[in-house]
Amino acid sequence: MNPDLNSINDIFAKMDSNGWDISGNLKWGFFFFSSEKGCLDKIFLELKEYSYLVENIHQIENHESILHASKIEVLEPEKLYRRCLAFNQLAEAYNAYFDGCDVGKSV
């Protein structure tokens, strides 16, 4: 994923205009892909140290696997931007790639 701070700011503005409490806890999901499931297991071991939870790891098309990890927290646009940059580096270190994030209201 090639993060763009302007796009992230736009997403936060849209969430705010739609009534989301962007200053409160939200459930952030992050997605990593690899043709080697073991690489995703190693990525998750690193994320686990920072209180991330695994939503699922499963095989998809073309023999690739996907890791969906999540964390409930408050993120500002700049912090999410830096996190995406760091996750690109983490994925590269384990022969994987980071494909972005999603967000939901925490329960």
Side-chain angles (χ1 to χ4, degrees):
M1 173 191 177
N2 188 13
D4 175 66
L5 184 55
N6 289 326
S7 295
I8 292 172
N9 279 320
D10 290 345
I11 291 167
F12 273 78
K14 185 174 182 179
M15 290 167 51
D16 188 40
S17 71
N18 286 328
W20 288 54
D21 179 9
I22 59 173
S23 64
N25 279 326
L26 295 170
K27 185 176 183 179
W28 295 93
F30 301 93
F31 301 89
F32 297 85
F33 289 79
S34 178
S35 58
E36 303 172 40
K37 183 184 174 294
C39 295
L40 297 177
D41 293 333
K42 291 175 185 175
I43 289 172
F44 182 68
L45 286 176
E46 289 207 26
L47 295 176
K48 187 177 177 180
E49 293 179 28
Y50 297 95
S51 302
Y52 285 85
L53 301 174
V54 66
E55 294 292 329
N56 59 51
I57 299 179
H58 65 277
Q59 189 170 1
I60 57 172
E61 301 172 3
N62 302 325
H63 305 287
E64 280 199 317
S65 293
I66 180 173
L67 161 64
H68 177 197
S70 69
K71 185 174 184 179
I72 296 175
E73 64 181 320
V74 176
L75 283 179
E76 296 176 352
E78 295 80 12
K79 187 172 182 178
L80 179 58
Y81 173 75
R82 289 190 309 272
R83 172 108 18 113
C84 290
L85 292 174
F87 283 174
N88 278 331
Q89 291 178 343
L90 176 64
E92 263 185 53
Y94 288 104
N95 195 31
Y97 63 96
F98 172 63
D99 193 46
C101 61
D102 67 5
V103 62
K105 295 180 179 179
S106 63
V107 254

